[in-house]
Amino acid sequence: MPGSPPLRLSPADCTCFRIRSAARRVTQIYSRHLGPTGLKISQFSLLGFVAWEGPVSIGRLSELLATDRTTLTRNLKPLLDNALVARAPSDDRRRHDLVATPAGRALFKRAIPLWTAAEQEVRAAMGAKLTSELHGTLDRSMERLAAL
Amino acid sequence: MPGSPPLRLSPADCTCFRIRSAARRVTQIYSRHLGPTGLKISQFSLLGFVAWEGPVSIGRLSELLATDRTTLTRNLKPLLDNALVARAPSDDRRRHDLVATPAGRALFKRAIPLWTAAEQEVRAAMGAKLTSELHGTLDRSMERLAAL
DNA sequence: GTCTATTACGTGTATATACACTATTATTGG
DNA sequence: CCAATAATAGTGTATATACACGTAATAGAC
């Protein structure tokens, strides 16, 4: 089996540029829908994870969300300030477990239909086939890139 | 032809979360490689576009990069401060045309091999098939989402 | 030729992101 | 028990992102 020909790569072929552009575009659409709740899309995700995973540490969230630990510290601030999430002491005093407050859970529930509308707008524009292709491709890419 | 069954969407199916996670992951890899140049990946892209497109306005760059105009104003600051990009007056005094300086073009050239290494690391981890699938899916998604 | 609508751009504000560094608490080896 | 090590988290700094708003200059209407 012969080796592949040497690829001629140009910066126009940049995987990073493509994925960052798409992320910006998609983020704008979701943000528009979520506007009335006062939640940004990343806050929606973060609040959802905290609500689902029950008491959870920053470090654990960092794994679940594939986000740097210190980024989450900053991202949590608006949620803590607005009392949507609260810190709870844990047995290990190095950790601060995070829980969603009743207000946080209520807001998340109110946000779900708006998120659904955003998701449906995107899926309607892309079509079911492209949507599932995109999800599958991204999921597999994340698996392959996790090792790096 | 019957309609599709009503989709039951859960926030775990979020397209935005997937694409943002992947963008974060990919960005980290490229940033690591580009570190020695002092350029972030977005600066590499921006500098490259300015160098290629010759004298170009902020508004035009905004279309090319699918980035908000005001974001580019901020993103350009480090490049202007480091004299990698310069403003040139244009016939229309509302516009400030941007050009890459010799230092900017030289740095971009030095950065290309590092970008290539990043691109190859990502492609090696993902495989050629998944890479081309990802690119195609992202490109088609951007087309479909541009209308929104 | 002026007045107005449009175009092109920057600023204020707020969030998102992550690396290097620091501080605190647990754990483990002796 | 105590010192060294590991684990957990926050801060300082810098960039990335975009909406709402304000400003300056051009183009068009008349």
Side-chain angles (χ1 to χ4, degrees):
Chain A
M1 201 159 96
S4 317
L7 269 184
R8 301 299 267 134
L9 290 176
S10 136
D13 304 316
C14 189
T15 302
C16 194
F17 175 71
R18 277 185 168 79
I19 202 164
R20 287 175 64 90
S21 298
R24 279 194 299 271
R25 187 76 195 91
V26 171
T27 296
Q28 284 181 344
I29 297 167
Y30 284 73
S31 296
R32 179 158 43 79
H33 283 274
L34 284 177
T37 67
L39 288 172
K40 309 288 177 185
I41 179 62
S42 59
Q43 296 175 347
F44 175 79
S45 298
L46 182 48
L47 180 55
F49 268 97
V50 172
W52 271 103
E53 298 289 328
V56 61
S57 71
I58 293 257
R60 175 83 182 115
L61 278 176
S62 172
E63 297 168 12
L64 292 172
L65 293 160
T67 301
D68 189 88
R69 182 181 54 74
T70 67
T71 297
L72 289 181
T73 298
R74 320 297 167 114
N75 291 1
L76 277 168
K77 186 170 188 311
L79 300 182
L80 290 168
D81 288 348
N82 291 345
L84 303 171
V85 168
R87 292 179 200 256
S90 81
D91 51 341
D92 185 335
R93 274 189 302 178
R94 288 171 301 185
R95 278 200 301 272
H96 302 252
D97 278 348
L98 299 163
V99 292
T101 64
R105 287 192 294 274
L107 180 59
F108 186 71
K109 267 192 189 169
R110 283 207 309 280
I112 288 181
L114 303 185
W115 167 82
T116 303
E119 185 70 32
Q120 284 178 333
E121 182 180 2
V122 166
R123 286 172 188 238
M126 303 205 345
K129 187 167 182 303
L130 184 54
T131 301
S132 80
E133 231 181 272
L134 180 63
H135 282 212
T137 308
L138 288 172
D139 289 350
R140 268 177 295 157
S141 299
M142 282 299 277
E143 283 172 26
R144 304 286 183 87
L145 296 176
L148 304 186
Chain B
M1 199 159 96
S4 317
L7 269 186
R8 301 300 267 135
L9 290 176
S10 135
D13 304 317
C14 189
T15 302
C16 194
F17 175 71
R18 277 185 168 80
I19 203 165
R20 286 176 64 90
S21 298
R24 279 194 299 272
R25 187 75 195 91
V26 171
T27 296
Q28 284 181 344
I29 296 167
Y30 283 74
S31 296
R32 178 157 44 77
H33 282 274
L34 285 177
T37 67
L39 289 172
K40 309 288 177 185
I41 179 62
S42 59
Q43 295 175 346
F44 175 80
S45 299
L46 183 48
L47 180 55
F49 268 97
V50 173
W52 271 104
E53 298 288 329
V56 61
S57 70
I58 294 256
R60 175 83 182 115
L61 279 176
S62 172
E63 296 168 13
L64 292 172
L65 293 160
T67 301
D68 189 88
R69 182 181 53 74
T70 67
T71 297
L72 289 181
T73 298
R74 321 298 168 111
N75 291 1
L76 277 168
K77 187 170 187 309
L79 300 182
L80 290 168
D81 289 348
N82 292 341
L84 304 171
V85 168
R87 293 178 200 256
S90 80
D91 51 341
D92 186 335
R93 276 187 301 179
R94 288 172 301 185
R95 277 200 301 269
H96 304 253
D97 277 348
L98 300 163
V99 291
T101 64
R105 286 193 295 273
L107 180 59
F108 186 70
K109 267 190 189 170
R110 283 208 309 281
I112 289 181
L114 303 185
W115 168 81
T116 303
E119 186 69 31
Q120 284 177 333
E121 182 181 0
V122 166
R123 287 172 188 237
M126 302 204 348
K129 186 169 183 302
L130 184 54
T131 301
S132 81
E133 230 181 273
L134 181 63
H135 283 211
T137 307
L138 288 173
D139 289 349
R140 270 177 294 157
S141 298
M142 283 299 276
E143 283 171 26
R144 305 287 184 86
L145 296 176
L148 305 185

